[in-house]
Amino acid sequence: KNEVEQSPQNLTAQEGEFITINCSYSVGISALHWLQQHPGGGIVSLFMLSSGKKKHGRLIATINIQEKHSSLHITASHPRDSAVYICAVIGSNFGNEKLTFGTGTRLTIIP
Amino acid sequence: DVKVTQSSRYLVKRTGEKVFLECVQDMDHENMFWYRQDPGLGLRLIYFSYDVKMKEKGDIPEGYSVSREKKERFSLILESASTNQTSMYLCASRDGADTEAFFGQGTRLTVV
């Protein structure tokens, strides 16, 4: 079983819909990243959070440390939001510099 | 803006060739990482470095080596490229353990 699981693997929605992508992890973490990867390949960090909730424009990320779960929400989705969204965790062991990644959620927004 | 720059976007090499993938970051970050990304497997860590001349094996180091002679540059070396090393390679850098990671644009390597 992967340490970081994302769902769904693929998601297709109509423009304007509210989108939720989920991430569950099985290890202790100090922080969690949400990343976005467009078809060209480059990865952009959307959020890094260790508790509560963060908001940036139409994007909202939440995390529940006790339940080992995080969600990424997109409000009023737009075709330009089409991308792969990746959850990654930073382990809480001292000196653990590594990120552990989920396999990603491919989001397609249809006009 | 932090920039992580990889030397090539696309690369085609022959089996047995020695391949160098270069990564440069401009924010004086301590930690640098090389990942490969394959469909269905996500990003897997090949090697990372937490200081100049320091390196640690990641989860899949076999067939790869790395070099970090200067803080800003982290090179991934395929000593003798094989077809199973065809993949997308991504470099990342970060300052401390709990800081944001920044990624390069990726190098899509094809070994024929």
Side-chain angles (χ1 to χ4, degrees), chain A residues 30 33 37 40 45 48 97, chain B residues 9 37 45 94 98 100-101:
Chain A
S30 59
H33 274 272
Q37 185 174 32
S45 176
M48 192 180 82
E97 303 292 332
Chain B
R9 289 295 301 272
Q37 184 181 32
L45 180 65
R94 170 159 121 233
D98 291 351
E100 189 178 359

Side-chain angles (χ1 to χ4, degrees), chain A residues 66-88:
Chain A
Q66 287 73 29
E67 294 187 4
K68 292 187 164 64
H69 182 268
S70 176
S71 293
L72 176 69
H73 305 286
I74 305 174
T75 61
S77 59
H78 190 276
R80 65 175 174 267
D81 297 326
S82 298
V84 175
Y85 292 85
I86 302 169
C87 169

Side-chain angles (χ1 to χ4, degrees), chain A residues 28-49:
Chain A
I29 70 167
S30 59
L32 180 146
H33 274 272
W34 279 104
L35 308 165
Q36 182 191 56
Q37 185 174 32
H38 278 284
I43 290 176
V44 174
S45 176
L46 299 173
F47 295 103
M48 192 180 82
L49 66 168

Side-chain angles (χ1 to χ4, degrees), chain B residues 8-97:
Chain B
S8 306
R9 289 295 301 272
Y10 300 95
L11 216 49
V12 180
K13 295 291 181 180
R14 294 198 178 277
T15 301
E17 276 193 76
K18 190 168 185 175
V19 181
F20 293 86
L21 303 182
E22 306 284 344
C23 175
V24 177
Q25 51 96 1
D26 64 2
M27 280 301 290
D28 203 37
H29 283 170
E30 300 287 337
N31 303 294
M32 297 187 73
F33 306 81
W34 274 107
Y35 299 92
R36 64 177 282 176
Q37 184 181 32
D38 300 288
L41 297 176
L43 280 87
R44 293 179 292 165
L45 180 65
I46 305 170
Y47 267 97
F48 69 102
S49 168
Y50 51 88
D51 202 350
V52 175
K53 296 193 189 293
M54 306 302 287
K55 60 187 179 185
E56 292 273 350
K57 291 180 181 180
D59 300 316
I60 50 164
E62 297 79 18
Y64 304 94
S65 62
V66 289
S67 170
R68 193 158 179 211
E69 296 295 319
K70 293 185 177 181
K71 193 174 186 181
E72 67 270 19
R73 186 180 297 269
F74 191 34
S75 303
L76 180 70
I77 303 154
L78 287 66
E79 295 289 343
S80 177
S82 64
T83 54
N84 63 11
Q85 293 177 309
T86 291
S87 187
M88 168 71 88
Y89 289 87
L90 286 143
C91 174
S93 76
R94 170 159 121 233
D95 209 0

